[in-house]
Amino acid sequence: MTGASATASTTDAAFDTTAGVLNVDRASYLSKHDIVYNRANTNPLYGLTVGNGRMGAMAWQQNGLTMQVSGVDTSQQTAFGAGLVNLSTTPQQDIAQQRLSLYDGTLTTRYDNRTVTVMGSPNSEVMGIHVDDNRTGVQAVQLDLSLWDVSNLGNSGDVPNLDTWKQVSTFADSAAAGLSRGQADPQNFGYTLAATVEGTSFTTQASGNKVSLRITPSTSYTIWFTASTRLNAPNHDSVTQARNALNQVRNTGYTTTLNNFRNWWHAFWDRSFVQYSNSNSSRDADYMENVYYLSTYMIAAGGYANYPYHFINGVFRATQDSTKWSNAYWYWNQRDVYNSFLSSNHVDLLSTLNNMYSRNFGNLKSLTQSRYGIDGIWVPETMGWDGNARGTVNSDYTKNIYSTGTEAAYNMYLQYRYSNDVNYLRNTAYPFMREVVKFYAAKLSFNGSKYYMATSNAHETYWNVPNAITDLASVRLLFPLTVQTSEQLGLDANLRAQWTNIVNNLIAYPTDGSAYLPHQPPIAQTRNGENVASELIWPYDQTGIGFPDQQMATTTWNRRPFPYGNVWANDAVQAARLGLGDQAYQGMRTMLQKYQNYPNGMTNNTNGVFEYLGVHLAAMNESLMQSYNGKIRVFPAVPSDLVGKFTLLAKDGFLVSSEREAGETKYVGIRSLYGKSTRVVNPWGTQQVRVRRASDNAILTTTSSAEFDLATTANTVYVVERTAKPLTSYAATRLTG
């Protein structure tokens, strides 16, 4: 990874008071985060990653340029890869440099006098390989699409008809060539991997599990390839869809498609900004910032499909069909991948995860009725794409976890709070919240004075225990929100009294007097390595900075039994929520040291692949800005030498920007998207601050309070500044790389 800090100065500020965000030259800034290989990489596991939102490829050097292609929707839980793409020429050349450009979303391989650029049609199932070749004497160019031996394929994806995934059909004609799998999948998965060429002539050939395009050498041409899915194709005909998609992109042309692709990624990056650097000689924080942008790219590159970006499959792998934990989506793991994108102003990414659960509303209701005899929703911790619980009910680890429904419902509610989509709240989020609350209300027991959970799993780590803290946190989180939402929408007034009574009379969290416990003692045998008691801090949002129990929560975190114990460990996020800046910093550093094993940013941990990247995003966002409890708090958990700058999204639609250098926060800029009210924590303690409306410089509030309320108007920019040192005392600047 390349990188150096943007120029830091304690006397300038980059807030654009008209736009209400930081003024950043993103093309320049993000270029320092490009991933560059200065020699040929022959190890598939180190392959650089390029994607277009719904499909992606990992690239390495093997008989020319080789990539394994994946598409999110090709198979159930993305269990199976789409195939290999290989571009070779006679004579071959050695790679001089390979660069993943994050801002443009392109992967460029440079040879002595040849450049190969991998890009895509944005948010589609089509990608391209553009070749500029100025060599003389090129004798042959060939593109091969192939599959490995699938005869012994295992059913890692829990598919209903494995035979159809072992059957490979091909076609080759004057327009394109391709191969297909899963064409008889009864659940309408399956795909066609196909290619064509723009800019020069070619012939095609099919043989076994491989098709080839023999391309007439030219100085400039583009190879288009697609992993078209049956799921998203008219009449579930992936072959026809592949032909049509290739024909369409070839007619659009390389120049226009590349421009559209770049613009799509540029618009993506424009939605937020993070700088996280420091002044020490190790430059650890700069590297953490590198990983922040790479992680964002890798998840977004496959985050816009019909189904979620699977925590272990994603769209980037170089292991053929070999995979693990692919029979379902584990919510514990998926939340790590997705939950940071609320504050980075990509609510639409989280919606991809939420949609899978909400569209299975009916299936989950039926499952809950048949399994528990309860009119409500129980969400299996390990859930298949269609809401099935086969991976849950047969596992002692997961079969008695009840809290997953709360997490799914809460994320739907948060989608509303960040997007202000009242129709989504009414039609999707609230109905799901209500049914999860109804399930919990039926599962709780009552001893005459208190409601309690007689037995359940405290996630995967403690089995069949009383009063799992995750269940009690679920009730304390979701019941009040559901009551509040029912009042807001004017629905289910007859249910509110029961829900309120349960919350008011719920048994206390189990503790030993100084720390929270995962369940009512005695503590059961440990079955997994989760820090269950710390779940109160994140993602259940029940404690943190300024809460009455902050010290108990901090002690709980300090005593957690499995610090950074796996690739999905969210310890650093929780440290940030507790205001532990040095610990959050060291936690991000520790996670990267333990789990970033490959130079492309990926891990060799077989319990997951992309979770630690998502945790890194959440930890950095929460270190820079928090709004989970209705208060905007800037730089709540940063090391003392941080040079930090950000534009992030706060709950209820506030784009918040701030800068901090030499231990000093310069200002807080707030652009209100929806005209809601919020509460702001004074970043200077009790120093006098004022709120200035940027459009006319009117001073709306002057206060020395540690916190103050801020009423706003939609699409209006506000500046919170020290009266003694206002924003105007800083020279205006633009951030560059």
Side-chain angles (χ1 to χ4, degrees):
M1 298 183 187
T2 65
S5 294
T7 302
S9 170
T10 58
T11 60
D12 64 24
F15 186 62
D16 182 335
T17 55
T18 300
V21 295
L22 288 181
N23 184 357
V24 183
D25 179 350
R26 283 179 170 78
S28 172
Y29 194 92
L30 264 72
S31 67
K32 71 174 183 171
H33 296 307
D34 289 355
I35 315 302
V36 179
Y37 286 175
N38 283 317
R39 61 178 183 269
N41 164 47
T42 59
N43 187 337
L45 297 176
Y46 294 178
L48 289 182
T49 53
V50 57
N52 70 351
R54 295 170 66 185
M55 61 178 288
M58 284 182 68
W60 64 94
Q61 177 77 1
Q62 181 180 331
N63 185 34
L65 184 69
T66 295
M67 301 184 290
Q68 178 166 334
V69 178
S70 294
V72 173
D73 296 331
T74 54
S75 59
Q76 293 87 337
Q77 295 85 229
T78 322
F80 305 134
L84 297 173
V85 174
N86 172 257
L87 175 63
S88 61
T89 68
T90 304
Q92 291 281 20
Q93 277 186 300
D94 290 332
I95 291 173
Q97 186 191 80
Q98 199 166 47
R99 175 181 289 262
L100 172 60
S101 170
L102 299 181
Y103 185 62
D104 288 340
T106 56
L107 177 63
T108 303
T109 305
R110 300 187 185 280
Y111 304 80
D112 288 341
N113 48 10
R114 182 164 63 111
T115 301
V116 177
T117 302
V118 185
M119 37 69 73
S121 178
N123 195 11
S124 76
E125 295 177 341
V126 178
M127 293 178 64
I129 305 168
H130 181 74
V131 180
D132 290 310
D133 193 344
N134 294 313
R135 291 177 294 166
T136 58
V138 178
Q139 301 166 27
V141 179
Q142 183 160 318
L143 183 86
D144 294 327
L145 307 180
S146 63
L147 269 173
W148 38 87
D149 182 5
V150 296
S151 60
N152 294 315
L153 179 68
N155 197 1
S156 58
D158 189 28
V159 303
N161 180 359
L162 188 60
D163 286 341
T164 190
W165 292 96
K166 297 179 182 180
Q167 297 167 1
V168 181
S169 57
T170 61
F171 69 89
D173 55 37
S174 60
L179 56 86
S180 304
R181 270 204 302 175
Q183 294 298 293
D185 184 90
Q187 296 171 335
N188 298 322
F189 287 90
Y191 66 92
T192 297
L193 177 64
T196 191
V197 182
E198 171 196 344
T200 189
S201 59
F202 64 98
T203 60
T204 64
Q205 178 180 322
S207 176
N209 284 5
K210 182 172 79 172
V211 297
S212 300
L213 287 74
R214 294 176 179 173
I215 301 167
T216 302
S218 173
T219 57
S220 181
Y221 55 93
T222 306
I223 299 160
W224 297 109
F225 62 94
T226 179
S228 289
T229 62
R230 293 181 64 227
L231 190 73
N232 299 315
N235 302 313
H236 305 303
D237 182 350
S238 65
V239 176
T240 299
Q241 176 66 11
R243 291 180 182 276
N244 291 341
L246 293 175
N247 186 56
Q248 180 178 353
V249 74
R250 186 169 52 191
N251 289 339
T252 301
Y254 167 70
T255 301
T256 298
T257 302
L258 176 63
N259 187 55
N260 292 342
F261 185 64
R262 287 172 170 166
N263 288 341
W264 186 76
W265 275 110
H266 296 173
F268 174 87
W269 293 116
D270 281 348
R271 297 189 66 83
S272 59
F273 174 80
V274 159
Q275 180 184 341
Y276 188 95
S277 58
N278 59 356
S279 56
N280 70 40
S281 59
S282 70
R283 307 299 290 274
D284 289 348
D286 295 79
Y287 188 80
M288 293 178 198
E289 185 188 319
N290 288 152
V291 176
Y292 180 94
Y293 283 101
L294 175 61
S295 302
T296 301
Y297 175 85
M298 290 176 71
I299 296 170
Y304 291 94
N306 192 39
Y307 282 97
Y309 187 102
H310 191 274
F311 67 93
I312 206 165
N313 296 324
V315 290
F316 299 125
R317 58 205 266 201
T319 56
Q320 301 178 5
D321 284 330
S322 177
T323 183
K324 188 178 180 182
W325 311 126
S326 297
N327 61 300
Y329 297 88
W330 270 248
Y331 208 95
W332 176 278
N333 304 75
Q334 293 296 146
R335 70 187 189 183
D336 286 351
V337 175
Y338 274 98
N339 278 18
S340 74
F341 287 98
L342 290 169
S343 56
S344 61
N345 196 18
H346 295 290
V347 182
D348 50 349
L349 270 173
L350 181 66
S351 72
T352 305
L353 177 64
N354 287 344
N355 288 347
M356 182 178 69
Y357 290 87
S358 62
R359 71 162 61 111
N360 279 304
F361 182 96
N363 292 342
L364 292 170
K365 281 271 289 183
S366 297
L367 173 65
T368 306
Q369 182 65 49
S370 63
R371 186 164 194 237
Y372 295 102
I374 291 174
D375 177 24
I377 281 181
W378 165 76
V379 175
E381 170 63 16
T382 57
M383 190 185 89
W385 66 276
D386 58 355
N388 79 75
R390 289 188 293 273
T392 291
V393 298
N394 296 316
S395 168
D396 288 332
Y397 284 91
T398 56
K399 66 184 182 182
N400 292 324
I401 295 174
Y402 300 151
S403 54
T404 306
T406 293
E407 293 196 49
Y410 186 44
N411 268 340
M412 293 178 201
Y413 176 75
L414 289 177
Q415 181 176 327
Y416 154 70
R417 289 296 296 271
Y418 280 82
S419 68
N420 200 38
D421 187 342
V422 178
N423 287 332
Y424 177 80
L425 177 68
R426 177 182 295 274
N427 299 325
T428 303
Y430 174 72
F432 205 95
M433 295 163 67
R434 179 191 62 219
E435 297 306 311
V436 173
V437 165
K438 286 165 61 180
F439 170 77
Y440 258 112
K443 286 298 292 182
L444 290 168
S445 299
F446 187 64
N447 63 11
S449 61
K450 293 293 183 182
Y451 289 92
Y452 65 97
M453 182 61 72
T455 181
S456 68
N457 281 18
H459 225 271
E460 293 192 18
T461 301
Y462 308 96
W463 300 352
N464 304 316
V465 295
N467 290 317
I469 199 168
T470 42
D471 291 321
L472 303 183
S474 289
V475 174
R476 288 194 167 94
L477 168 64
L478 194 59
F479 278 50
L481 288 179
T482 308
V483 169
Q484 173 189 317
T485 305
S486 77
E487 292 172 342
Q488 176 184 344
L489 298 174
L491 299 171
D492 299 320
N494 59 314
L495 298 176
R496 294 177 206 151
Q498 179 201 19
W499 298 342
T500 301
N501 180 59
I502 289 173
V503 174
N504 290 342
N505 295 283
L506 186 67
I507 195 169
Y509 293 129
T511 78
D512 64 3
S514 58
Y516 291 116
L517 300 176
H519 63 85
Q520 181 180 313
I523 301 303
Q525 178 181 346
T526 297
R527 309 285 186 166
N528 203 339
E530 303 161 336
N531 299 310
V532 178
S534 295
E535 295 280 286
L536 287 180
I537 307 163
W538 185 93
Y540 287 87
D541 294 352
Q542 293 301 289
T543 185
I545 304 169
F547 281 73
D549 64 344
Q550 181 179 352
Q551 183 54 58
M552 181 169 284
T554 301
T555 302
T556 304
W557 187 85
N558 284 330
R559 293 182 186 173
R560 65 199 189 282
F562 309 105
Y564 307 107
N566 215 310
V567 71
W568 35 251
N570 48 48
D571 309 33
V573 185
Q574 294 161 347
R577 283 288 180 87
L578 293 168
L580 305 175
D582 289 336
Q583 291 91 327
Y585 170 86
Q586 290 297 335
M588 287 186 279
R589 187 175 184 272
T590 296
M591 288 291 286
L592 294 182
Q593 286 177 321
K594 292 185 72 169
Y595 300 116
Q596 191 210 323
N597 308 110
Y598 302 145
N600 58 5
M602 297 180 78
T603 184
N604 64 8
N605 187 291
T606 60
N607 284 308
V609 176
F610 300 102
E611 300 102 310
Y612 88 101
L613 299 176
V615 166
H616 185 77
L617 297 177
M620 191 169 290
N621 286 348
E622 294 292 334
S623 296
L624 297 172
M625 192 271 290
Q626 295 174 14
S627 69
Y628 68 97
N629 62 342
K631 300 177 182 180
I632 293 174
R633 195 183 297 268
V634 302
F635 301 112
V638 295
S640 59
D641 65 342
L642 178 84
V643 177
K645 307 173 193 291
F646 68 84
T647 294
L648 293 168
L649 184 65
K651 188 186 288 185
D652 292 328
F654 300 100
L655 275 173
V656 181
S657 303
S658 192
E659 300 179 63
R660 181 177 177 87
E661 296 181 43
E664 178 184 275
T665 298
K666 298 178 180 180
Y667 63 90
V668 182
I670 299 174
R671 177 183 171 189
S672 174
L673 301 180
Y674 312 125
K676 297 293 186 79
S677 296
T678 189
R679 191 164 180 83
V680 179
V681 175
N682 186 342
W684 303 283
T686 55
Q687 291 186 46
Q688 188 180 81
V689 300
R690 65 190 190 189
V691 178
R692 176 167 55 89
R693 188 168 56 216
S695 59
D696 59 1
N697 291 321
I699 304 302
L700 306 180
T701 301
T702 300
T703 181
S704 297
S705 299
E707 299 178 3
F708 56 92
D709 293 323
L710 176 63
T712 72
T713 302
N715 299 311
T716 303
V717 178
Y718 304 86
V719 178
V720 180
E721 56 192 359
R722 287 166 291 181
T723 305
K725 193 172 183 179
L727 175 62
T728 53
S729 67
Y730 295 92
T733 190
R734 190 178 196 208
L735 300 179
T736 71

